[in-house]
Amino acid sequence: MFAEVIVDIAHSDVDKIFDYACDETISAGMRVVVPFGRSAATGFVIRTKEKSDVPPEKLKRVYRAEENFPALNGECLGLAEKLRDRYRCPLALVLRLFLPSEMRTGKVGEASRNFARLTEEPFEPPLRAKQQLALIGFLRENGEADTAFLRERFGGALKALTDKGIVLIEKRRVFRDPYRGIEGEREERTLTPAQENALEAIGKTEKTVTLLHGVTGSGKTEVYLRLIAEQLRKGKTAIFLVPEISLTPQMLSQLRARFGGQAAILHSGLSAGERFDEWRRLREGSARIAIGARSAIFAPVENIGVIVIDEEHDGSYSSENAPRYNTFDVAFLRAKYNNCKLILGSATPSVETYKRAMDGEFGLVRLPERINKRPLPEVCIVDMRREIRRGNPSPFSVVLRERLKNCLDGGNQAILFLNRRGYSQTVLCRECGYVAKCEHCDVALTYHSEENCLKCHYCGARYHMLSGCPECGSVRIGYVGTGTQRVVTELKKLYPSARILRMDNDTTKGKEGHYKILKQFAQKEADILVGTQMVAKGHDFPSVTLVGILDADMSLHFPDYRSGERTFQLVTQVAGRSGRAEERGEVVLQTYEPENAVLRFAASYDYEGFYEHEIAMRAGMFPPFAKIVRVMVVGEDEKEALEALKEVFGKLEAVYAKQPEKFLFFNKMHSPIKRIKEKFRYQALMRLTDGAPLREIYEICSAVSYKKTVVYVEENPANLS
Ligand code: ADP
Ligand code: ZN
Ligand code: ZN
């Protein structure tokens, strides 16, 4: 027999299939060790065959299989080839997506423990040894038990009985349990009529993709769980994607309660061993629901009955590392292969998704009201220009202060949201306008008062706070903007007795950082939660009745065609944290641009209005009408990077010259951030119409090869910096 093998080296030079001789135990999808060059390499068996065209004297033999089962199933192999063609990258790189990285590096393996049981009766029990008799009694009653446990409880009796041959010890494989400490209570719920309708509509439609558009708190999760449970009953499996499961402990315990060991939850908080075991349980079929962030779309489940992408608009669904896949594209391929449904859920669908639903390509199902018809919180827009005119320079408007006081007096909780972490955004010289920047990244630094230092939010570098301006020597150093730290400091002055928690990248370091803060807040150990984007995500805190959005404009002025969409999503999501239980919620939205259309639509929860406005602005220019393609050229050697840019751009120009009408925009330039972590960044930016030669662009980029410069393609990148 022969095996076609791709070696697990991500380089275009070895991105081809090599034939090896092998025996019958080798099958497609297995990982094998093969002779390669002068040493050995790990590889993937793509297929096996009876004949090889390679002359026998040139054929080498597979040394051995890494595991005694195929790590990749047939679907995954086929999917990997499709993705390789789509994103033009070495197959080995795509195949790696399907495996837990721990498996490739060989750092973890299966865990096993010793179990003790009684030998077959009859045997002669020791008459006088009390402990030994107790142990025999225990095993008679319980069948078998972990030896570590028995040794602790019955001491030397275990060894004595083993020596007599009365107790047998067996080593057996165990799965590490990542859910210790997470227990949920199973709530029996009757579906609301809206949820019933949604399920019925999803059941009936012929379309592969359905958008579930439900306002915040409308009970989308319950709909997903029912869909999944239904497929499990039919003997099928499911994939459930959420942007950041480690951020939502409530979701974890709900899933745990509902599906128990059937669910494998893959999240960043797991240890390497736990992740490996969860993957194994899915591969073996003992777990049938894969739950996790975008990478869970590659879960090794077979016979999929439904795929759910929750918060489908979330930026985390497009990968920023090679291969730069889009989660929806992969999910769609898997849904087609398995002939199952793909459900996209959101309160604020991306404009692109909504358009596809409007055009009839996707089904559309709505949950227009919150559970129990709880009203959406009322949004009050505050004009911050007036506050300044009235002599209030603080980050809090008069209205917000009043409402905050009422909220706290009533024993309720509040969330204050802003876009920036740190104390103030930037440090600048009031005389000459000098701005402190990172030496490695060409971005402005942020002042952190707790450590009294300046930090770069791109590379984490720290600098001493300035005592004077390095340009002109002036000591008039000032701050612009407000960060989370400063908000907390100011709040403490205003409400000395309030207990305040801060949640941002600085306070959530470590494995359980988020979890701890959220838990404290959920248990009402704090009155106010101040935070960045992280506080916007899907949390369900019943006592929160006030949400303050301190700087609604920040994301509006991002130089990106999606800034309006992002702002709408962010405002809606943060507002959705308020008033989820009996008491009516309030939202105070502070802005310097109160007449802004996007903010107006967000304040009135008018998604359709926002969509019409946005689609009209983008027509013929931006996605979904055109595709933004950015070719990035990134390298530490500026000269080489420029050379690479020149070569790539030259080749792209030739493509452009053939069909200029397919390009709405085409140019090369510095990236907005010219340098990150010592690497220079250049780009060719394009806007393409339908039918533009995207494939050729990928081919050009994958064909160039430089020592210290990488070239890659991004489609509609989530971040254009
Ligand atoms: P969404 O994901 O749409 O924002 P959730 O799924 O978080 O909404 O649901 C909002 C709240 O309503 C949650 O507290 C959830 O437990 C509750 N809920 C959902 N469905 C029902 C139901 N059928 N009956 C009672 N409560 C429900
Ligand atoms: Zn930096
Ligand atoms: Zn100066």
Side-chain angles (χ1 to χ4, degrees):
M1 254 214 345
F2 304 94
E4 295 186 352
V5 174
I6 282 271
V7 291
D8 190 9
I9 299 171
H11 198 284
S12 48
D13 293 351
V14 295
D15 188 29
K16 41 183 171 275
I17 283 171
F18 297 96
D19 279 11
Y20 287 90
C22 67
D23 60 37
E24 311 295 316
T25 60
I26 302 295
S27 61
M30 274 191 172
R31 294 197 315 135
V32 288
V33 182
V34 293
F36 192 71
R38 256 177 270 156
S39 58
T42 315
F44 300 93
V45 177
I46 301 302
R47 53 186 75 75
T48 56
K49 54 190 181 186
E50 294 301 325
K51 270 205 209 108
S52 169
D53 298 333
V54 181
E57 67 278 8
K58 286 206 173 152
L59 262 179
K60 293 181 184 158
R61 269 196 96 74
V62 169
Y63 285 140
R64 63 186 160 85
E66 284 276 37
E67 290 93 18
N68 58 6
F69 62 93
L72 300 158
N73 64 28
E75 184 202 349
C76 296
L77 283 171
L79 184 58
E81 289 182 330
K82 284 203 182 103
L83 295 177
R84 183 235 357 233
D85 293 343
R86 171 74 176 73
Y87 298 107
R88 285 266 127 197
C89 63
L91 189 55
L93 208 57
V94 183
L95 289 169
R96 285 177 190 177
L97 295 170
F98 291 86
L99 302 176
S101 57
E102 296 75 28
M103 192 164 161
R104 285 187 49 250
T105 51
K107 289 209 186 90
V108 292
E110 294 170 353
S112 54
R113 284 214 307 267
N114 288 324
F115 288 87
R117 63 178 167 85
L118 291 176
T119 180
E120 270 176 38
E121 312 230 21
F123 52 74
E124 215 153 290
L127 288 175
R128 263 183 299 262
K130 255 197 195 153
Q131 281 290 32
Q132 293 180 28
L133 286 172
L135 173 51
I136 290 173
F138 182 87
L139 289 177
R140 275 207 179 112
E141 206 160 289
N142 294 287
E144 62 168 26
D146 187 306
T147 52
F149 167 81
L150 295 176
R151 219 168 281 128
E152 193 165 299
R153 181 143 165 199
F154 300 99
L158 180 64
K159 180 161 188 325
L161 287 174
T162 316
D163 290 346
K164 286 180 192 148
I166 293 175
V167 166
L168 303 178
I169 292 181
E170 246 172 28
K171 193 173 182 144
R172 272 223 315 276
R173 187 163 152 233
V174 291
F175 289 111
R176 286 153 279 220
D177 181 5
Y179 317 112
R180 283 175 308 269
I182 299 179
E183 278 312 323
E185 258 172 59
R186 210 200 138 132
E187 285 172 66
E188 283 304 330
R189 279 194 193 124
T190 326
L191 292 178
T192 63
Q195 286 170 327
E196 295 266 14
N197 288 343
L199 280 170
E200 202 190 311
I202 292 169
K204 267 205 236 140
T205 176
E206 297 280 293
K207 290 174 180 154
T208 302
V209 185
T210 300
L211 169 63
L212 178 62
H213 181 202
V215 299
T216 55
S218 59
K220 293 186 288 296
T221 313
E222 187 65 34
V223 173
Y224 307 144
L225 299 184
R226 297 279 174 132
L227 285 169
I228 293 170
E230 185 193 332
Q231 295 304 321
L232 292 189
R233 274 197 303 278
K234 290 188 190 158
K236 299 200 173 189
T237 65
I239 298 180
F240 182 16
L241 303 182
V242 282
E244 271 161 284
I245 193 150
S246 50
L247 275 185
T248 48
Q250 290 133 325
M251 181 76 105
L252 274 176
S253 54
Q254 250 191 77
L255 290 164
R256 181 73 171 150
R258 193 80 56 115
F259 300 114
Q262 298 250 45
I265 305 179
L266 308 157
H267 64 88
S268 53
L270 298 189
S271 73
E274 288 165 348
R275 207 162 25 230
F276 176 72
D277 281 359
E278 289 294 82
W279 183 89
R280 276 290 269 146
R281 294 200 307 124
L282 288 166
R283 181 73 187 95
E284 282 175 356
S286 59
R288 295 196 292 146
I289 318 163
I291 299 153
R294 72 168 177 253
S295 60
I297 195 59
F298 298 102
V301 284
E302 286 172 30
N303 195 12
I304 304 172
V306 67
I307 302 175
V308 175
I309 304 183
D310 188 23
E311 310 288 358
E312 67 85 30
H313 61 274
D314 198 276
S316 70
Y317 286 121
S318 49
S319 169
E320 294 194 344
N321 308 314
R324 291 176 175 73
Y325 65 87
N326 179 320
T327 307
F328 172 82
D329 294 343
V330 183
F332 187 75
L333 289 170
R334 293 201 81 172
K336 278 287 183 197
Y337 181 94
N338 288 277
N339 194 17
C340 75
K341 295 209 165 101
L342 170 55
I343 310 298
L344 308 177
S346 178
T348 52
S350 71
V351 168
E352 199 162 351
T353 299
Y354 201 74
K355 179 163 188 303
R356 291 168 88 169
M358 287 285 112
D359 293 347
E361 185 186 347
F362 299 167
L364 176 59
V365 174
R366 294 177 210 271
L367 293 174
E369 285 179 335
R370 280 188 159 183
I371 292 288
N372 298 336
K373 303 213 188 309
R374 270 167 221 142
L376 285 160
E378 196 181 310
V379 181
C380 164
I381 296 184
V382 177
D383 182 351
M384 291 305 276
R385 293 171 306 192
R386 270 186 52 204
E387 297 291 316
I388 293 196
R389 266 184 257 128
R390 281 189 193 166
N392 172 19
S394 91
F396 316 107
S397 58
V398 174
V399 178
L400 180 58
R401 273 193 240 169
E402 269 168 19
R403 303 220 178 159
L404 201 48
K405 182 166 186 306
N406 288 341
C407 168
L408 298 178
D409 288 349
N412 291 314
Q413 292 178 294
I415 293 179
L416 298 185
F417 165 83
L418 75 167
N419 258 303
R420 282 172 296 212
R421 62 190 172 105
Y423 194 79
S424 298
Q425 195 190 21
T426 35
V427 174
L428 95 180
C429 169
R430 296 215 187 275
E431 299 284 344
C432 75
Y434 164 86
V435 174
K437 285 189 172 181
C438 177
E439 286 170 13
H440 319 284
C441 305
D442 188 46
V443 294
L445 297 171
T446 302
Y447 178 56
H448 285 245
S449 69
E450 281 167 7
E451 296 131 291
N452 190 34
C453 72
L454 302 172
K455 280 193 202 169
C456 168
H457 285 185
Y458 278 83
C459 73
R462 299 154 63 98
Y463 300 82
H464 286 298
M465 179 52 195
L466 300 179
S467 50
C469 172
E471 293 282 318
C472 73
S474 162
V475 288
R476 291 192 55 216
I477 300 295
Y479 309 102
V480 258
T482 306
T484 41
Q485 277 188 27
R486 167 141 183 254
V487 167
V488 171
T489 312
E490 301 276 320
L491 273 178
K492 281 185 181 147
K493 285 187 216 152
L494 288 172
Y495 311 96
S497 62
R499 297 161 304 166
I500 303 166
L501 278 173
R502 195 179 106 213
M503 183 157 153
D504 56 31
N505 273 337
D506 297 308
T507 60
T508 52
K509 296 241 165 69
K511 189 169 147 181
E512 304 218 313
H514 302 109
Y515 190 77
K516 266 206 283 221
I517 296 174
L518 293 170
K519 199 165 150 193
Q520 271 175 287
F521 194 60
Q523 292 174 344
K524 294 194 79 170
E525 286 164 27
D527 309 300
I528 308 175
L529 177 65
V530 175
T532 53
Q533 268 84 333
M534 294 175 195
V535 301
K537 309 245 167 161
H539 312 297
D540 198 16
F541 299 118
S543 298
V544 171
T545 56
L546 176 66
V547 162
I549 301 171
L550 300 184
D551 53 355
D553 314 301
M554 259 307 285
S555 62
L556 269 182
H557 300 305
F558 230 72
D560 180 348
Y561 74 95
R562 255 185 298 218
S563 59
E565 179 174 345
R566 289 259 168 70
T567 306
F568 183 86
Q569 287 163 350
L570 210 50
V571 170
T572 312
Q573 298 289 346
V574 195
R577 300 313 114 213
S578 182
R580 290 173 76 91
E582 283 71 36
E583 264 187 79
R584 174 110 208 220
E586 295 177 312
V587 178
V588 175
L589 189 160
Q590 303 187 157
T591 170
Y592 289 92
E593 214 181 304
E595 63 289 336
N596 182 284
V598 169
L599 295 180
R600 295 257 152 212
F601 288 125
S604 53
Y605 301 100
D606 183 2
Y607 180 84
E608 274 74 27
F610 156 75
Y611 171 77
E612 294 299 336
H613 165 84
E614 192 68 25
I615 209 90
M617 284 213 328
R618 294 193 198 175
M621 303 254 296
F622 288 106
F625 302 96
K627 181 168 264 177
I628 294 186
V629 171
R630 179 162 84 150
V631 171
M632 288 296 294
V633 179
V634 181
E636 55 197 276
D637 183 321
E638 191 170 18
K639 240 177 85 195
E640 194 196 72
L642 266 171
E643 209 176 293
L645 178 71
K646 219 172 123 198
E647 180 189 342
V648 170
F649 195 71
K651 291 182 174 164
L652 292 172
E653 251 176 335
V655 175
Y656 168 71
K658 273 189 280 174
Q659 296 172 291
E661 74 284 358
K662 302 275 194 230
F663 290 74
L664 297 170
F665 180 86
F666 178 69
N667 214 341
K668 63 174 192 286
M669 61 197 78
H670 264 299
S671 298
I673 299 178
K674 292 179 193 141
R675 206 154 64 115
I676 295 183
K677 294 184 190 164
E678 304 283 2
K679 295 213 166 98
F680 293 90
R681 308 167 81 239
Y682 294 97
Q683 65 189 38
L685 197 59
M686 290 158 257
R687 285 209 313 269
L688 310 180
T689 58
D690 264 357
L694 184 59
R695 222 191 137 72
E696 283 179 56
I697 295 171
Y698 268 105
E699 271 163 18
I700 288 169
C701 296
S702 67
V704 296
S705 165
Y706 284 87
K707 271 211 176 70
K708 290 190 211 144
T709 304
V710 291
V711 177
Y712 57 86
V713 184
E714 293 176 340
E715 290 174 50
N716 292 340
N719 178 353
L720 267 177
S721 57

